Amino acid sequence: MAEKVNFNIDKDKNFSEWFTDIIQKAELADLRYNIKGFLVFQPWSVLAMEKMYALLEKILQKKNHKPYWFPTLIPESNLKKESSHIGGFTPEVFWVTKGGEKELDEKYALRPTSETAFYQMFSLWLRSYKDLPFKTYQRANIFRYDTKATRPFLRSREFHWIETHCAHASEEDALQQVDEDMETTQQFLHDQLGIPFIFFERPVWDKFPGAHRTFAADVLNPDGKVIQQPSTHLISQQFSKAFDVKFKDKDEKEKLAWMTCYGPAISRIFASVIIMHGDNKGLKFPWKIAPVQVVIVPVNDNKELQREAEKIKKQLQDEDIVVEIDSSEKSFGEKLFFWEMKGVPFRIELGMKELKENKATVFRRDTNKKESAKLTEVAQYIRKNAVKYDDNLIAKADALFKNKLASAKSKDELKKIIDDGKIARVGFCSVNKEGEKCAEFIEKNIQAEVRGTRLDEKKKDMEKCLICNKKANHIVYVARSY
Ligand SMILES: [Zn+2]
């Protein structure tokens, strides 16, 4: 039983191996389920992701989004109503074609995203400008027959997310919703989970199928590749037309609603949590989502120590802190390695020496250092330092992101910046169809992608497109991605 767990893979040198290995060692997911691209999420990740859901839903509800549970199945006719949407999703849809032995009259899609389910109902629910803005969300699992190589948490064929769907009276209101979604991303990803990101408006060729404009948060990995995290979309009015989502405006005229949607994928954000904070010892959970926040490890099974451990446990539980005592058969040393690998924020070590001195030794996973706290004041110590712990994680993550943007004035410079694991800033002819050729050139020759433009870009210091030399109408950012 007492298997020695001493996780030690150099994350910076062998990132891929580190990622796959920690998922299995820390028992986050079992990858042996017998359908390709599907995984079994285990308690250590589910407990954290449940907390992530709770945090995000709290933010959304504060902003007046109401929760719904929609059916998992969407009739093919719904999906077909808007042609660019079905065009974009068809290759990725899992279809249900039979009920028992009977062929169904109509195919049903396992939802690849739920616009066409929500809008169907919006058309029945919305009547007047007084109903708007209409803000909904649901937590759901999503199915996509992704043909790219799958990677646990980052890209699998079933994933877990929240999708918000909103209807607005004007384009201006809809764009305000996009701003609010970006603010939500900042509050959730950065301020609570310590994940820095940049929002880009995606070029036309990289928009969500059926979107008028797409904005997406890119998170930088330590290996220099970016991961797309939540995106928010101003949906094309083709959708309101196709689904007949209309409302009577103040001027008594019937108008098409403006729709927005936002899709933070909890399982994918969880991957960024692992990647952003983990180190060569293993995981490092932000305080608010740690499955266990404090673990108490008595040096041995001495009765007195056990009693004291129980007392501390009670003290912490009274403060609503999730705490566990490790009374397993592992050796004391093995226990220490094990809980560091599992990413528990605070570990309390308890021996006779501590008891005599009336204080506990506390190991902090943020600094990997030991401190001490009075036995009767462990709860206060933890409460106070939990805030510092998160601040430390955030500061460290922010520091990683700094100096990762660099301007490129030539193709060679562009290649060097990308090879160095950074995001390049370049002059670019067009983010509309005309610019796609230049983007393809970058993809083919530098194996990197045009991620888009920044809304907060102020300087216009690039006059020519780095690729075709025509006038630069934009400054775009280029990176490698997952
Ligand atoms: Zn160009």
Side-chain angles (χ1 to χ4, degrees):
M1 180 62 218
E3 186 200 345
K4 194 164 155 53
V5 183
N6 183 0
F7 188 78
N8 196 355
I9 297 178
D10 195 325
K11 186 184 166 198
D12 294 327
K13 284 193 189 130
N14 301 306
F15 170 70
S16 272
E17 191 195 342
W18 180 92
F19 185 66
T20 326
D21 227 51
I22 193 62
I23 285 171
Q24 294 169 72
K25 282 263 164 57
E27 298 183 309
L28 300 174
D30 198 318
L31 314 179
R32 295 171 300 177
Y33 191 71
N34 54 347
I35 306 181
K36 193 175 174 287
F38 288 76
L39 47 141
V40 177
F41 295 93
Q42 291 171 288
W44 204 245
S45 66
V46 172
L47 286 165
M49 288 191 285
E50 283 288 355
K51 290 183 174 191
M52 288 166 68
Y53 268 120
L55 289 170
L56 181 55
E57 292 191 59
K58 199 170 163 191
I59 299 175
L60 291 172
Q61 288 179 13
K62 256 191 198 165
K63 297 180 180 179
N64 242 336
H65 289 269
K66 303 291 182 215
Y68 287 79
W69 288 355
F70 265 67
T72 309
L73 298 182
I74 301 178
E76 185 184 27
S77 54
N78 284 31
L79 276 171
K80 273 187 165 164
K81 276 190 178 165
E82 207 284 320
S83 60
S84 58
H85 191 65
I86 182 75
F89 277 105
T90 297
E92 295 189 353
V93 172
F94 282 98
W95 292 107
V96 175
T97 57
K98 273 185 171 181
E101 286 304 311
K102 192 177 159 280
E103 288 286 337
L104 298 171
D105 294 337
E106 181 180 13
K107 291 199 281 185
Y108 300 136
L110 288 181
R111 59 183 165 214
T113 176
S114 307
E115 284 72 16
T116 60
F118 276 74
Y119 299 165
Q120 168 73 30
M121 301 310 290
F122 279 12
S123 71
L124 302 173
W125 294 338
L126 303 178
R127 286 286 166 266
S128 143
Y129 70 93
K130 289 176 197 154
D131 300 328
L132 304 177
F134 192 72
K135 297 168 74 169
T136 74
Y137 80 88
Q138 76 168 341
R139 49 184 291 182
N141 45 348
I142 289 292
F143 303 86
R144 292 184 190 167
Y145 184 72
D146 208 318
T147 47
K148 285 194 199 169
T150 58
R151 218 166 219 269
F153 294 96
L154 279 175
R155 186 183 291 284
S156 45
R157 289 178 174 168
E158 177 184 14
F159 59 91
H160 298 256
W161 79 352
I162 279 182
E163 49 185 317
T164 78
H165 298 285
C166 305
H168 310 271
S170 65
E171 183 175 13
E172 200 190 349
D173 288 357
L175 280 170
Q176 238 169 46
Q177 184 57 46
V178 167
D179 274 344
E180 189 192 280
D181 295 339
M182 292 198 230
E183 178 200 67
T184 299
T185 310
Q186 177 71 14
Q187 292 167 337
F188 180 52
L189 251 73
H190 182 268
D191 302 350
Q192 312 221 41
L193 304 178
I195 304 171
F197 58 85
I198 304 176
F199 254 103
F200 294 113
E201 176 163 6
R202 293 286 188 240
V204 162
W205 56 86
D206 199 18
K207 280 188 317 188
F208 174 77
H212 178 50
R213 296 173 73 182
T214 285
F215 307 84
D218 277 345
V219 172
L220 189 66
N221 254 21
D223 66 352
K225 288 187 188 174
V226 293
I227 301 177
Q228 172 167 316
Q229 287 294 358
S231 50
T232 165
H233 315 276
L234 176 64
I235 295 294
S236 135
Q237 276 200 310
Q238 296 298 334
F239 263 108
S240 355
K241 213 179 277 170
F243 284 87
D244 203 29
V245 185
K246 289 182 193 145
F247 67 99
K248 199 171 260 179
D249 208 349
K250 283 178 193 156
D251 56 12
E252 293 290 308
K253 280 186 187 143
E254 198 148 75
K255 291 177 186 168
L256 290 172
W258 287 88
M259 255 85 87
T260 55
C261 61
Y262 169 59
I266 297 296
S267 45
R268 186 169 243 237
I269 296 170
F270 182 75
S272 277
V273 171
I274 303 175
I275 293 165
M276 191 59 69
H277 304 302
D279 61 15
N280 295 353
K281 288 166 177 260
L283 301 174
K284 201 182 274 186
F285 276 106
W287 171 258
K288 291 196 183 86
I289 65 161
V292 171
Q293 295 169 307
V294 178
V295 63
I296 305 170
V297 187
V299 174
N300 54 44
D301 57 4
N302 175 301
K303 286 257 157 58
E304 218 178 318
L305 290 181
Q306 295 300 324
R307 261 200 308 276
E308 191 56 42
E310 288 294 343
K311 267 208 280 195
I312 296 175
K313 183 179 173 185
K314 169 105 190 13
Q315 206 192 116
L316 292 169
Q317 278 177 336
D318 286 347
E319 285 281 318
D320 253 345
I321 292 166
V322 188
V323 53
E324 226 173 74
I325 300 174
D326 185 349
S327 342
S328 68
E329 312 242 295
K330 294 190 192 95
S331 76
F332 181 65
E334 281 164 355
K335 288 179 186 179
L336 305 191
F337 281 127
F338 179 78
W339 292 109
E340 282 168 29
M341 184 271 292
K342 292 285 248 185
V344 171
F346 295 92
R347 181 182 73 226
I348 296 174
E349 299 169 20
L350 217 51
M352 290 314 283
K353 180 173 152 283
E354 274 85 4
L355 234 56
K356 235 174 254 160
E357 293 172 1
N358 194 32
K359 58 188 193 192
T361 300
V362 187
F363 172 85
R364 306 169 56 127
R365 188 66 177 93
D366 56 338
T367 55
N368 286 325
K369 285 194 178 121
K370 289 184 183 180
E371 296 179 357
S372 71
K374 273 195 192 157
L375 283 182
T376 48
E377 292 171 10
V378 171
Q380 284 111 298
Y381 168 91
I382 297 287
R383 270 276 161 249
K384 198 173 115 206
N385 284 283
V387 179
K388 283 191 195 159
Y389 173 97
D390 272 353
D391 287 348
N392 282 344
L393 253 54
I394 296 171
K396 204 167 170 218
D398 285 346
L400 275 179
F401 218 114
K402 248 185 210 148
N403 306 320
K404 290 291 184 184
L405 299 181
S407 295
K409 297 264 156 60
S410 69
K411 287 174 196 156
D412 286 343
E413 259 179 46
L414 172 60
K415 186 167 183 332
K416 184 162 186 324
I417 291 167
I418 298 293
D419 285 344
D420 284 349
K422 294 181 181 174
I423 299 176
R425 181 177 175 274
V426 303
F428 204 71
C429 51
S430 172
V431 290
N432 294 317
K433 210 78 192 114
E434 311 87 84
E436 197 171 0
K437 268 212 172 107
C438 289
E440 279 166 6
F441 179 93
I442 293 175
E443 247 185 271
K444 210 169 150 215
N445 294 284
I446 302 176
Q447 291 81 47
E449 288 164 30
V450 172
R451 306 301 289 176
T453 53
R454 269 176 88 149
L455 298 177
D456 55 353
E457 184 78 64
K458 295 276 167 354
K459 279 197 283 182
K460 272 265 184 294
D461 55 344
M462 311 270 197
E463 282 174 12
K464 286 186 172 162
C465 173
L466 189 79
I467 307 303
C468 67
N469 243 346
K470 285 186 196 145
K471 183 174 172 265
N473 290 302
H474 311 276
I475 286 171
V476 300
Y477 289 76
V478 177
R480 291 201 172 123
S481 77
Y482 276 104

